[in-house]
Short mmCIF file of all heavy atoms in Angstrom, two decimals:
data_model
loop_
_atom_site.label_atom_id
_atom_site.label_comp_id
_atom_site.label_asym_id
_atom_site.label_seq_id
_atom_site.Cartn_x
_atom_site.Cartn_y
_atom_site.Cartn_z
N ILE A 1496 112.77 80.66 94.96
CA ILE A 1496 113.96 80.07 94.35
C ILE A 1496 113.82 80.08 92.82
O ILE A 1496 112.77 79.74 92.28
CB ILE A 1496 114.15 78.62 94.84
CG1 ILE A 1496 114.29 78.57 96.37
CG2 ILE A 1496 115.34 77.94 94.15
CD1 ILE A 1496 115.55 79.16 96.91
N LYS A 1497 114.91 80.44 92.16
CA LYS A 1497 114.95 80.39 90.69
C LYS A 1497 115.11 78.93 90.28
O LYS A 1497 116.21 78.39 90.34
CB LYS A 1497 116.12 81.22 90.17
CG LYS A 1497 116.14 81.34 88.65
CD LYS A 1497 117.44 81.94 88.12
CE LYS A 1497 117.71 83.32 88.64
NZ LYS A 1497 118.89 83.94 88.02
N ALA A 1498 114.00 78.28 89.91
CA ALA A 1498 114.06 76.84 89.64
C ALA A 1498 113.32 76.45 88.37
O ALA A 1498 113.05 75.28 88.16
CB ALA A 1498 113.47 76.08 90.83
N SER A 1499 112.96 77.43 87.55
CA SER A 1499 112.19 77.07 86.36
C SER A 1499 112.56 77.98 85.20
O SER A 1499 113.35 78.90 85.35
CB SER A 1499 110.69 77.21 86.66
OG SER A 1499 110.34 78.58 86.75
N ALA A 1500 111.91 77.74 84.09
CA ALA A 1500 112.12 78.56 82.90
C ALA A 1500 111.67 80.00 83.13
O ALA A 1500 112.06 80.89 82.39
CB ALA A 1500 111.37 77.96 81.72
N LEU A 1501 110.91 80.23 84.18
CA LEU A 1501 110.43 81.58 84.48
C LEU A 1501 111.39 82.35 85.37
O LEU A 1501 111.07 83.44 85.84
CB LEU A 1501 109.03 81.51 85.12
CG LEU A 1501 107.95 80.89 84.22
CD1 LEU A 1501 106.64 80.78 84.97
CD2 LEU A 1501 107.78 81.71 82.95
N GLU A 1502 112.58 81.79 85.62
CA GLU A 1502 113.66 82.47 86.34
C GLU A 1502 113.28 82.89 87.76
O GLU A 1502 113.82 83.87 88.27
CB GLU A 1502 114.15 83.68 85.54
CG GLU A 1502 114.73 83.32 84.18
CD GLU A 1502 116.00 82.50 84.29
OE1 GLU A 1502 116.92 82.89 85.02
OE2 GLU A 1502 116.07 81.45 83.63
N GLY A 1503 112.34 82.20 88.38
CA GLY A 1503 111.96 82.49 89.75
C GLY A 1503 110.79 83.44 89.91
O GLY A 1503 110.29 83.64 91.01
N MET A 1504 110.32 84.03 88.81
CA MET A 1504 109.17 84.93 88.90
C MET A 1504 107.92 84.19 89.37
O MET A 1504 107.11 84.74 90.12
CB MET A 1504 108.90 85.62 87.56
CG MET A 1504 109.89 86.71 87.24
SD MET A 1504 109.96 88.04 88.49
CE MET A 1504 108.31 88.71 88.35
N ASP A 1505 107.76 82.94 88.95
CA ASP A 1505 106.61 82.15 89.39
C ASP A 1505 106.67 81.95 90.90
O ASP A 1505 105.67 82.13 91.61
CB ASP A 1505 106.55 80.81 88.66
CG ASP A 1505 107.89 80.07 88.62
OD1 ASP A 1505 108.94 80.65 88.96
OD2 ASP A 1505 107.89 78.89 88.21
N ALA A 1506 107.85 81.63 91.42
CA ALA A 1506 108.01 81.43 92.85
C ALA A 1506 107.82 82.74 93.61
O ALA A 1506 107.21 82.76 94.69
CB ALA A 1506 109.39 80.84 93.15
N LEU A 1507 108.34 83.83 93.07
CA LEU A 1507 108.18 85.13 93.72
C LEU A 1507 106.71 85.48 93.86
O LEU A 1507 106.23 85.84 94.94
CB LEU A 1507 108.92 86.21 92.94
CG LEU A 1507 108.72 87.65 93.44
CD1 LEU A 1507 109.30 87.81 94.84
CD2 LEU A 1507 109.35 88.64 92.48
N LEU A 1508 105.97 85.36 92.77
CA LEU A 1508 104.56 85.72 92.81
C LEU A 1508 103.77 84.79 93.73
O LEU A 1508 102.88 85.25 94.45
CB LEU A 1508 103.98 85.73 91.39
CG LEU A 1508 104.55 86.81 90.48
CD1 LEU A 1508 104.06 86.65 89.06
CD2 LEU A 1508 104.24 88.20 91.02
N SER A 1509 104.10 83.51 93.75
CA SER A 1509 103.42 82.58 94.66
C SER A 1509 103.70 82.93 96.11
O SER A 1509 102.83 82.77 96.96
CB SER A 1509 103.88 81.14 94.39
OG SER A 1509 103.44 80.71 93.14
N THR A 1510 104.89 83.41 96.39
CA THR A 1510 105.28 83.70 97.77
C THR A 1510 104.70 85.02 98.27
O THR A 1510 104.28 85.11 99.42
CB THR A 1510 106.81 83.69 97.90
OG1 THR A 1510 107.33 82.46 97.39
CG2 THR A 1510 107.25 83.82 99.35
N VAL A 1511 104.65 86.03 97.43
CA VAL A 1511 104.17 87.33 97.89
C VAL A 1511 102.65 87.47 97.86
O VAL A 1511 102.11 88.32 98.55
CB VAL A 1511 104.79 88.53 97.11
CG1 VAL A 1511 106.29 88.55 97.27
CG2 VAL A 1511 104.38 88.53 95.67
N GLN A 1512 101.96 86.65 97.11
CA GLN A 1512 100.51 86.80 96.96
C GLN A 1512 99.74 86.02 98.02
O GLN A 1512 98.92 85.17 97.72
CB GLN A 1512 100.08 86.36 95.55
CG GLN A 1512 100.61 87.22 94.45
CD GLN A 1512 100.07 88.65 94.51
OE1 GLN A 1512 98.98 88.92 94.95
NE2 GLN A 1512 100.88 89.59 94.03
N MET A 1513 99.98 86.35 99.28
CA MET A 1513 99.29 85.67 100.38
C MET A 1513 97.98 86.39 100.70
O MET A 1513 97.92 87.61 100.63
CB MET A 1513 100.19 85.62 101.61
CG MET A 1513 101.42 84.74 101.44
SD MET A 1513 101.02 83.03 101.05
CE MET A 1513 100.10 82.59 102.50
N PRO A 1514 96.97 85.63 101.10
CA PRO A 1514 95.70 86.27 101.46
C PRO A 1514 95.82 87.01 102.79
O PRO A 1514 96.66 86.68 103.62
CB PRO A 1514 94.73 85.09 101.57
CG PRO A 1514 95.58 83.92 101.90
CD PRO A 1514 96.90 84.17 101.21
N ALA A 1515 94.95 87.99 102.98
CA ALA A 1515 94.93 88.76 104.23
C ALA A 1515 94.79 87.80 105.41
O ALA A 1515 94.02 86.84 105.36
CB ALA A 1515 93.77 89.75 104.21
N GLY A 1516 95.58 88.04 106.44
CA GLY A 1516 95.52 87.22 107.64
C GLY A 1516 96.58 86.14 107.72
O GLY A 1516 96.81 85.56 108.78
N ILE A 1517 97.25 85.85 106.61
CA ILE A 1517 98.32 84.84 106.58
C ILE A 1517 99.55 85.49 105.95
O ILE A 1517 99.88 85.25 104.79
CB ILE A 1517 97.90 83.57 105.79
CG1 ILE A 1517 96.55 83.04 106.23
CG2 ILE A 1517 98.99 82.50 105.90
CD1 ILE A 1517 96.53 82.48 107.66
N PRO A 1518 100.26 86.33 106.71
CA PRO A 1518 101.40 87.04 106.13
C PRO A 1518 102.64 86.16 105.96
O PRO A 1518 102.88 85.26 106.76
CB PRO A 1518 101.69 88.15 107.14
CG PRO A 1518 101.21 87.60 108.44
CD PRO A 1518 100.03 86.72 108.12
N VAL A 1519 103.37 86.44 104.90
CA VAL A 1519 104.69 85.86 104.67
C VAL A 1519 105.59 87.01 104.23
O VAL A 1519 105.30 87.67 103.22
CB VAL A 1519 104.66 84.77 103.57
CG1 VAL A 1519 106.08 84.35 103.18
CG2 VAL A 1519 103.86 83.56 104.02
N ALA A 1520 106.63 87.27 105.00
CA ALA A 1520 107.62 88.25 104.56
C ALA A 1520 108.40 87.60 103.42
O ALA A 1520 108.73 86.42 103.51
CB ALA A 1520 108.56 88.61 105.71
N THR A 1521 108.66 88.33 102.37
CA THR A 1521 109.31 87.74 101.20
C THR A 1521 110.55 88.54 100.83
O THR A 1521 110.50 89.77 100.77
CB THR A 1521 108.34 87.71 100.00
OG1 THR A 1521 107.13 87.08 100.42
CG2 THR A 1521 108.93 86.96 98.83
N VAL A 1522 111.64 87.83 100.59
CA VAL A 1522 112.88 88.46 100.14
C VAL A 1522 113.02 88.23 98.64
O VAL A 1522 112.18 87.58 98.02
CB VAL A 1522 114.10 87.93 100.92
CG1 VAL A 1522 113.99 88.29 102.40
CG2 VAL A 1522 114.27 86.43 100.74
N ALA A 1523 114.07 88.74 98.07
CA ALA A 1523 114.31 88.62 96.63
C ALA A 1523 114.48 87.16 96.20
O ALA A 1523 114.75 86.28 97.02
CB ALA A 1523 115.58 89.40 96.27
N ILE A 1524 114.34 86.92 94.93
CA ILE A 1524 114.59 85.60 94.36
C ILE A 1524 116.02 85.20 94.74
O ILE A 1524 116.96 85.98 94.53
CB ILE A 1524 114.41 85.62 92.83
CG1 ILE A 1524 112.95 85.94 92.48
CG2 ILE A 1524 114.84 84.29 92.21
CD1 ILE A 1524 112.72 86.27 91.02
#
C-alpha cells in the first residue's frame, strides 16, 4: 500500500523480499 513518503516502495520491497520457503505472491502497489 502507498502509505508513506516513499510512495509504497518501502511496502513493495518488504512484501517481495520473503525468505526461501515462505512465499508471498505480490501484486503492484
Side-chain angles (χ1 to χ4, degrees):
I1496 301 291
K1497 186 191 300 186
S1499 72
L1501 298 176
E1502 298 295 309
M1504 285 302 296
D1505 47 349
L1507 175 64
L1508 294 173
S1509 293
T1510 306
V1511 300
Q1512 294 296 330
M1513 293 301 299
I1517 310 293
V1519 170
T1521 308
V1522 296
I1524 296 168

